[in-house]
Amino acid sequence: PAMPDLKFAMAFGYGPYDERLVTSPGVWTDITEHVHAPTGCTISRGRSSEFDSPQPGECTFTICDRTRTFDPLNDGSYLATFLRPRTPVKVSATYDGIVYPLFVGYAEGFPQRYELGDTVTWIEIVAHDLLSVIAGQRFLPARPAVCDDADLGVLNSYTRLSGPKPELASARSGDRIAELLLAVGLGGELVDIDTGQTVLVAGVPEADDLLSHLVAITDTEHGRLSVTG
C-alpha cells in the first residue's frame, strides 16, 4: 500500500500567538526537502486514557543542512534573522488525496551539529505545542529586565504575566479562561471555549502558572483543555 506523504513547514518571523498561523496559509514555508527522511519524525501528544488530561505535545525531526540555510550565525542566509526559539512548526500527512494535520508547535531552537569538515550541518528540531507555551506563563513577582550590555540593551526579559497575581472578577468558567488567554495574546480564531456552567468567585489564582490554573478551571466542569493537531 502507498505510504502517507509527510510535509514539514515553518512560519519564519511569526510567534505562537499570531492569528495568521490559522487564517493565512501563506505564512508557512515548506521545508520538507531539508528534513532527513531516514531519521524520521516522532510525535507525542494527546492523553493515555479518557480519564487523563491532555498532555503537552512534542515533535522531533532532523534537518540536514548542506548550505547553512538554517544557521543563525550565517549572515548569508535569508533566514538568519528569523531562526529563533518558538518558531512555529507544522507537520501534516497526505494520504489518498486527503491532508491530515498531525502537529502544530514551536521549535525550541536551531542547535547546530557539524560533520564532514563542516560541510554538513545536522539540526535536531524539538518542538512543543501551545500547552507548553502556556505553561511557561507564570504568575511571578515583578522583576526588572536583565541587561548584560548597556549598549546592546535588554538581553533577557520575563513573561507577560510577570507581576503580582491578578485580581480576577467573578465570571463563568469559560469567560475566565478567555480573559486569561487574551491577557497573554491568545484569542480570536486560535481558541474555541465553551461558556461553562460554573460561576467562579472573584479572587487571585492559587496556581503559580497559567496552565495549572486553566486546568483547575476545566476540572470544575469535568472538561478538557487541549490543543488540536
Side-chain angles (χ1 to χ4, degrees):
M3 295 294 292
D5 183 22
L6 285 179
K7 294 291 185 182
F8 298 82
M10 286 187 170
F12 299 106
Y14 294 86
Y17 303 131
D18 198 317
E19 198 169 350
R20 288 172 292 180
L21 297 176
V22 174
T23 60
S24 303
V27 307
W28 295 97
T29 299
D30 191 332
I31 63 166
T32 305
E33 64 176 323
H34 300 285
V35 175
H36 189 238
T39 306
C41 171
T42 301
I43 297 175
S44 173
R45 57 186 304 273
R47 50 181 175 160
S48 301
S49 74
E50 61 181 321
F51 303 105
D52 297 330
S53 295
Q55 299 300 307
E58 180 180 281
C59 174
T60 61
F61 59 90
T62 301
I63 291 176
C64 180
D65 188 8
R66 297 180 180 273
T67 59
R68 295 184 62 201
T69 301
F70 296 88
D71 187 347
L73 299 180
N74 178 21
D75 293 335
S77 170
Y78 72 100
L79 292 178
T81 58
F82 301 111
L83 300 173
R84 55 196 184 208
R86 291 191 177 177
T87 294
V89 176
K90 179 170 68 173
V91 182
S92 62
T94 301
Y95 185 74
D96 198 21
I98 301 176
V99 178
Y100 297 90
L102 301 181
F103 183 86
V104 173
Y106 310 92
E108 290 183 353
F110 295 83
Q112 309 288 306
R113 178 167 57 87
Y114 302 98
E115 285 186 5
L116 300 178
D118 294 350
T119 60
V120 177
T121 305
W122 300 96
I123 305 165
E124 311 292 337
I125 298 295
V126 178
H128 295 94
D129 70 13
L130 202 53
L131 288 182
S132 292
V133 178
I134 293 174
Q137 299 283 358
R138 304 183 64 83
F139 302 109
L140 299 172
R143 303 176 184 177
V146 177
C147 293
D148 292 338
D149 188 296
D151 296 324
L152 295 178
V154 175
L155 298 182
N156 190 13
S157 61
Y158 295 89
T159 60
R160 302 188 198 188
L161 288 180
S162 293
K165 291 185 177 181
E167 285 280 352
L168 301 173
S170 176
R172 287 190 179 273
S173 56
D175 293 334
R176 172 73 61 82
I177 290 175
E179 175 189 359
L180 288 171
L181 290 180
L182 194 59
V184 298
L186 188 60
E189 295 290 333
L190 297 178
V191 299
D192 182 12
I193 305 172
D194 291 333
T195 303
Q197 301 297 320
T198 303
V199 176
L200 305 176
V201 299
V204 298
E206 294 184 3
D208 291 328
D209 66 87
L210 178 58
L211 180 59
S212 296
H213 183 60
L214 297 185
V215 170
I217 294 175
T218 58
D219 285 346
T220 66
E221 301 277 10
H222 301 291
R224 290 289 182 266
L225 181 70
S226 63
V227 174
T228 64

